Amino acid sequence: MFGTKPVKYKDTVYALDQGMVRAFLILGEERGLLFDAGVERADLMKYIREITDLPVELCLSHSDPDHIANIGDFEKLYVHEDEADRLRAFGKADGKELFLIKEGFEFDLGGRKLKVIHCPGHTPGSIALLDEEEKLLFSGDTVSYGPVYMFGEGRDDRAYEETLLRLQEMLERGEFSEIYPCHNRCPADVKAVKELISCIRDIMSGRIEGSPTEMRDGSGNAVLEYRRGDCGIYHI
Ligand SMILES: [Zn+2]
């Protein structure tokens, strides 16, 4: 049991922290958006109501089990179109109204807009949310100190590298200056993007040695931990 702890980052940015993972509550003037739904059962609405009276909708960064534990408490939810089948396969979306979103979709929370950035790699329909005005990136699992899980079903190293390169370009154009990840330290330093690029590239080209972990993938292969700077990736 992790418990649920509300954490305030800014007047309009909160996390519901469950120890190993956090969901974000991002507030506009008229609405709020909950980005992910936790790893363990909890009455997230109760925590949300302690923070705001605004109507709040749910959007998923992706469909891995550590992000979807409480989607049953929400009537409808937003998920990337490339992630919907995966979510349904987990059996968690039964009876849910899924609003399928894609690159460029904008949430208008009233005085605050969040733009969907498609980030395939960690999973096919992973997304980040970009607040262009405040220059914040809610990065899901795509950028974090991780270690980022890059083994098992749905992972794609090449797509992940391309996603990270795109985020690095956005960073260099000044489109965001702060990163709010779902795992590990938050905010993450923006240099995490470069570190993850070099980590996944070095894994793909065999230029990096991994350290053993206790984990195995679904086929019984040993999972190794690879590190570059402060960032890490779990990979077979
Ligand atoms: Zn995760």
Side-chain angles (χ1 to χ4, degrees), residues 20-21 36 61-62 64 66-67 122 140-141 149 182-183:
M20 62 157 295
V21 68
D36 285 351
S61 67
H62 64 300
D64 277 352
D66 54 325
H67 298 255
H122 179 64
D141 281 6
Y149 282 59
C182 288
H183 295 285

Side-chain angles (χ1 to χ4, degrees), residues 97-178:
E97 207 179 336
L98 297 185
F99 279 74
L100 303 185
I101 51 175
K102 54 185 174 185
E103 171 72 28
F105 181 89
E106 244 180 20
F107 291 97
D108 187 349
L109 305 181
R112 162 174 253 160
K113 286 184 176 165
L114 296 170
K115 193 158 114 187
V116 170
I117 310 294
H118 185 202
C119 296
H122 179 64
T123 66
S126 282
I127 61 164
L129 295 177
L130 177 67
D131 181 331
E132 288 177 304
E133 186 91 8
E134 300 277 327
K135 297 192 183 301
L136 312 180
L137 185 78
F138 298 90
S139 59
D141 281 6
T142 297
V143 180
S144 84
Y145 293 113
V148 180
Y149 282 59
M150 284 301 292
F151 64 92
E153 177 272 329
R155 309 312 193 216
D156 182 333
D157 292 345
R158 188 65 65 188
Y160 186 54
E161 181 198 14
E162 279 171 23
T163 286
L164 291 169
L165 288 169
R166 180 188 172 201
L167 293 177
Q168 181 63 27
E169 281 170 17
M170 289 170 60
L171 180 59
E172 284 164 14
R173 286 197 299 266
E175 292 182 33
F176 63 89
S177 57
E178 283 186 90

